[in-house]
Structures are given as C-alpha cells and as structure tokens.
Amino acid sequence: MIRGNDEMRKNPHQRTSPARDGALRVLIAVDKEGAYANLALQNIRADLKLGADDLALLTELVYGTLRMRGTIDWVIDCFSSTPVSKMSHAVRNIVRLGVYQLLFLDRIPPWAACNEAVEQAKRWRLAGLAGFVNGLLRSIARKREEISHPDPDVDPLSHISVKYSHPAWLVERWLNRYGKEETIALCRANNKPAPLVIRCNTLKITPQELQQQLERENVIARFSMLVPEGLVTNLSSLAELRLFQEGYFAVQDESSMIASLVLNPAPGSFVIDACSGPGGKTTHMAQIMQNRGRILALDVHSHRLELVAKACKRMGVSIVEPKLMDVRELPFQLQEKADYILVDVPCSGLGVIRRRPDLRWRVKPEDLPQHARQQLEILKSASRCLAAGGILVYSTCTTEPEENTGVIRQFLEECKDFQPEDLSLRLPFPLVWEEDKVTARSGFLQLFPHRHGTDGFFVACLRKTIKGG
C-alpha cells in the first residue's frame, strides 16, 4: 500500500509532472515498504486518474527504472560522493528516476529530466538537497557518453550484472549453467517488455473468428506458434474490450497454456487444480474438457478464489468448484479419486521478471531451498489424490533447478509408484532445441524467454503406475 511518511510529506505549492510524481510514489513504496510494483502501480493509476499518454509514461517510468536499477545504481555510484545505499529512500528514487530518463528515454530532453527531479525534491520537502540532485544529474547528463561498464574479459560476472541490470548472484548461477553468451541473451530478453498474449475461449468462439473480431476493434493479433488457442497482440491492456468482458478470451502467456495442454484432461473426468491462483489454467482446463466433468480448484487465498469464480462466470464455465483449502490438508475421501491433477506451485517467479521487473531485486538465493521444500510437500500431498493410471503435471514459472528438476527428482525417489511421461508426445508444438528433445523424453521441459519467446516456465508430466501410494 502506498502511503505518506515524514520523509515524503509533499509541498502542494510545487508542481511536477503527475506521471513522474506517481512513478516516484510507486518506486518509494517498492523500495521502502516492499510493495509489489504491479499492485502499487494499479493503486496509483486509480488514484491519479491520468490520461492515456500520462498513464503510458507512468508505467514506462516505473517498470523501466526498476528493470534497469542495477545499471542506474552503478552509474550513480560512479558520479556521486554519497553511495546510493546511503541515500534516503526519497532522494535515491528521485535520482534513479532522473538517471533512467537521461540514459534510456531519448524522447525526454536532459534538461527536462533534471528540472523535474529538482522540482520533485522540492515537492517532497527536500529543498536542501535539490542542489545535490541537480548537480549529480547534470554531471551524468554531460558525461553519459563516457560511462563504461566493467571489462567483460576481466570480470564477465560484473559486466553482465551491471550492463544488463541483473543481481550478481543470479548472473553467477546462469553463467555456471549456460555460459557467457547465453546468459547475456537471457538477460537481454528479460529486459524487453513481454507481449500481451491472449487465450481464445473455445467454448464461445474459434481463434480465427476471435482474430477477425479483434481486427474490427483495431487490435492486431497474430496466431501463436506454440499453442492453438493463443494470439499475440500489439497492446498492453485489453481488459476494457467488450470481447474480454463478454468472455471471448483470457489474458495468459503461452507457457502457462502449455501446462494445461500437457495435462490434457478428458471431457467428463475429475480434475484437481491444487493451487489454482486466479484461475487462468483452471478455465483453460475447462475449455479442454468442453465444460464437461468436474474441476476442484483449491487455493489458500479467498480473493483468488473470488477471481476464479468471476473468470468462470465471464467465460461460461460451469464445472469448477472453488474451495478455500491448503492442498496439504486434502481429505482422505479424495485419495486416489482424481483422473488428473495440476500442481502449479507457488515459486520464486524468476521466469517472469520480464513482466515483473521488481522480482529480480526481491528474490534472494536463500529463498530457493525454502520454496523447494514447500513445493515438494505440496506435490506429495496432491499426488495422493491421483487414481492409478492418472496423469499429474507439475509446473512453475521459474528457471531455477532447485524448484524444478530438483523437486521432481526428489519426488520420484520417494514415490516409486510414479514415472515420468514422455512430454514430446503431449506438447502442442515441435521441439527445435536438441536439449529440449532429450529432456522432454525424460518427462520435463524448461522454457526460456530468449529461446522460446515465452516466460521462463517449467513443466513436468508424471503418470501414476500402480494402485496405492
């Protein structure tokens, strides 16, 4: 939640751009209070009631500054006598916002970025530091062509971390796994805004018909190369469209659709969605089942289940039963009853940092083992409800092995009545990478933004082979 404090108390007599003022409030909330950028941005949009151009600038400033924060802080420390880490939250983020505009937004003149930062300092009752902000930003503006990054041959880790704005611990892991060139490619992909992909609701319309109707709304949409229901659009938001409100499509990345397609539940079957979240995969499975059968959608957050119910109503889905429950507390009566189970576990989210740039700075390496322990607990609990011969899909939106292959290998060691299912026979698209072909035959696939054009996503498919477990 964005709220004021003594440091940020505003002077109403000073005027700054509303988009920049809103961006600063979001950045301080993320930095000081640990707010999630997408939620803080959503609140500030509702609060400010900006026009379309200012909304676009607000979003660009927030996500761009967070995305390039590593590079920005490096530059500030090169020019400032006070390190970024020693600055107050307000000053630090006023300067970050100014440097982002100076280095990454060509359409904003340097004098405008500097003047707005000075006015922001005054507006937030930091007039005594306005001279510091002005001098620092004008110095960076004058010498920006001279800025250099760490030498890639001498120190590739620091070079990639600084130039491509990713935390060093994460870059080090990727360097060890993928090498220098592929790590750079992955970081570059993470720094590009992700396209908005929609899933056609095949209960109401075909993808071809949806594309034609979108064209009439002046929306350009091309068919996905990976999933038959997917269309990749040219917009950043489609929620206001009549076609969305009437349930003809849902917003969902291609990688997320793949999990439901791999599970491929048959019409009339009983499915457990062990961690439903807001219901994107839940409603997709209902489509695949032609809205026949039963889906028990579990989650531990009631507001997410409310979103599931709203999505089902909007899309004409009637077979979903939302239930507030931790999958680790599933009743005995459900054991070995489900034909299919989707276990899309909570994770670090390191595969979606192109959509949520603050995540790269939020997640710490010590978080990963904790996620893995919880994920294994959830997977083992959910698996007890699968009938013999049934299919279980485990998925995450992370790139890190502890949460992916590490969990699956540990599960298979402990649960001998499960075996990997050949994914290459269940995927809706042909595999190109040789590594993908090998892992898919072993029952899992890791998707990456720089290789597949999707979010970073992991999916594994298992079959229960014998009765019991």
Side-chain angles (χ1 to χ4, degrees):
M1 179 178 179
I2 300 175
R3 60 177 184 268
N5 57 35
D6 290 342
E7 181 184 56
M8 298 190 295
R9 195 171 294 143
K10 295 183 287 188
N11 180 350
H13 301 296
Q14 299 293 339
R15 296 184 61 81
T16 57
S17 150
R20 289 183 177 85
D21 184 54
L24 179 59
R25 290 166 62 186
V26 173
L27 292 174
I28 291 174
V30 172
D31 190 23
K32 187 174 183 179
E33 301 168 16
Y36 287 96
N38 59 330
L39 299 179
L41 191 56
Q42 184 178 320
N43 291 338
I44 208 77
R45 283 170 173 159
D47 185 33
L48 294 178
K49 296 181 172 55
L50 301 175
D53 290 344
D54 276 335
L55 272 178
L57 178 59
L58 168 65
T59 305
E60 168 68 44
L61 291 174
V62 169
Y63 283 157
T65 303
L66 288 170
R67 186 178 295 121
M68 301 312 298
R69 198 181 89 181
T71 308
I72 291 169
D73 285 1
W74 161 267
V75 171
I76 294 172
D77 281 345
C78 287
F79 284 84
S80 173
S81 57
T82 303
V84 174
S85 60
K86 300 293 185 185
M87 296 178 184
S88 71
H89 292 94
V91 172
R92 177 160 60 222
N93 286 288
I94 288 172
V95 175
R96 282 174 173 165
L97 198 53
V99 173
Y100 177 70
Q101 294 169 78
L102 289 174
L103 300 186
F104 299 103
L105 290 187
D106 293 339
R107 67 180 185 274
I108 296 179
W111 62 265
C114 295
N115 288 352
E116 286 283 349
V118 169
E119 291 304 317
Q120 279 187 316
K122 294 176 181 176
R123 180 170 170 77
W124 293 90
R125 296 191 182 280
L126 297 165
L129 291 170
F132 167 77
V133 171
N134 186 47
L136 176 57
L137 291 181
R138 290 189 186 280
S139 179
I140 293 172
R142 280 196 307 274
K143 298 180 179 179
R144 59 180 175 174
E145 300 301 328
E146 302 172 20
I147 294 171
S148 61
H149 304 112
D151 189 322
D153 296 323
V154 175
D155 188 353
L157 170 57
S158 297
H159 173 80
I160 296 171
S161 176
V162 169
K163 184 173 182 179
Y164 301 102
S165 190
H166 280 65
W169 70 268
L170 191 56
V171 172
E172 184 175 21
R173 292 171 68 94
W174 291 348
L175 275 172
N176 290 335
R177 293 210 300 273
Y178 312 127
K180 181 178 171 183
E181 297 306 318
E182 188 152 9
T183 298
I184 290 174
L186 176 53
C187 290
R188 280 179 166 162
N190 282 337
N191 286 344
K192 293 179 180 175
L196 190 146
V197 184
I198 62 174
R199 187 190 82 234
C200 174
N201 181 7
T202 51
L203 295 176
K204 289 191 172 186
I205 195 170
T206 68
Q208 291 75 20
E209 291 168 339
L210 178 61
Q211 185 192 45
Q212 292 168 4
Q213 295 216 23
L214 286 168
E215 283 181 357
R216 295 190 193 109
E217 303 277 354
N218 297 317
V219 176
I220 298 174
R222 62 172 173 81
F223 295 115
S224 164
M225 301 293 287
L226 301 178
V227 288
E229 306 96 321
L231 292 103
V232 183
T233 74
N234 65 332
L235 296 182
S236 58
S237 173
L238 294 170
E240 68 282 0
L241 287 182
R242 174 190 59 82
L243 290 168
F244 174 79
Q245 294 164 358
E246 294 180 0
Y248 288 94
F249 68 84
V251 176
Q252 189 176 25
D253 188 66
E254 294 155 297
S255 59
S256 180
M257 293 183 225
I258 289 170
S260 305
L261 290 167
V262 167
L263 188 66
N264 194 26
S269 58
F270 173 40
V271 180
I272 293 178
D273 187 354
C275 310
S276 73
K281 297 179 186 68
T282 318
T283 52
H284 190 198
M285 288 190 291
Q287 283 181 219
I288 295 168
M289 296 165 68
Q290 300 170 23
N291 204 27
R292 291 191 282 123
R294 178 190 177 202
I295 300 176
L296 183 59
L298 307 177
D299 205 282
V300 295
H301 299 287
S302 58
H303 70 278
R304 289 180 177 169
L305 294 175
E306 290 172 6
L307 294 174
V308 173
K310 286 181 180 177
C312 289
K313 183 177 181 182
R314 185 175 61 81
M315 303 189 77
V317 170
S318 59
I319 63 170
V320 174
E321 298 173 30
K323 190 172 184 61
L324 186 64
M325 178 180 283
D326 188 324
V327 68
R328 290 168 289 189
E329 299 171 357
L330 275 169
F332 177 78
Q333 289 84 350
L334 285 176
Q335 290 202 9
E336 300 184 46
K337 299 297 184 187
D339 302 301
Y340 302 88
I341 297 180
L342 176 62
V343 189
D344 184 51
V345 289
C347 68
S348 64
L350 288 169
V352 295
I353 55 182
R354 63 179 188 158
R355 297 186 188 277
R356 298 179 57 192
D358 52 322
L359 268 181
R360 71 186 74 184
W361 312 115
R362 186 183 302 278
V363 178
K364 306 300 179 191
E366 56 268 26
D367 297 338
L368 302 183
Q370 296 176 23
H371 283 302
R373 279 194 291 275
Q374 183 190 44
Q375 289 155 352
L376 182 60
E377 286 179 11
I378 291 173
L379 177 57
K380 288 166 63 178
S381 297
S383 70
R384 298 187 185 107
C385 295
L386 192 64
I391 295 291
L392 182 151
V393 164
Y394 172 89
S395 61
T396 74
C397 55
T398 180
T399 54
E400 298 313 289
E402 293 95 322
E403 303 179 81
N404 297 333
T405 50
V407 171
I408 291 300
R409 285 177 179 141
Q410 185 65 34
F411 175 79
L412 290 174
E413 282 184 14
E414 297 183 24
C415 302
K416 302 297 185 185
D417 51 345
F418 280 81
Q419 68 179 25
E421 188 81 352
D422 187 346
L423 262 190
S424 58
L425 303 175
R426 307 180 73 90
L427 289 167
F429 58 91
L431 295 169
V432 176
W433 294 71
E434 286 303 317
E435 180 183 340
D436 290 349
K437 295 176 183 176
V438 173
T439 64
R441 285 195 292 272
S442 300
F444 67 92
L445 180 66
Q446 177 71 64
L447 299 169
F448 295 97
H450 67 293
R451 287 188 184 180
H452 306 91
T454 66
D455 291 338
F457 195 84
F458 176 83
V459 59
C461 187
L462 309 172
R463 184 183 291 275
K464 192 167 187 176
T465 55
I466 60 173
K467 187 174 176 61

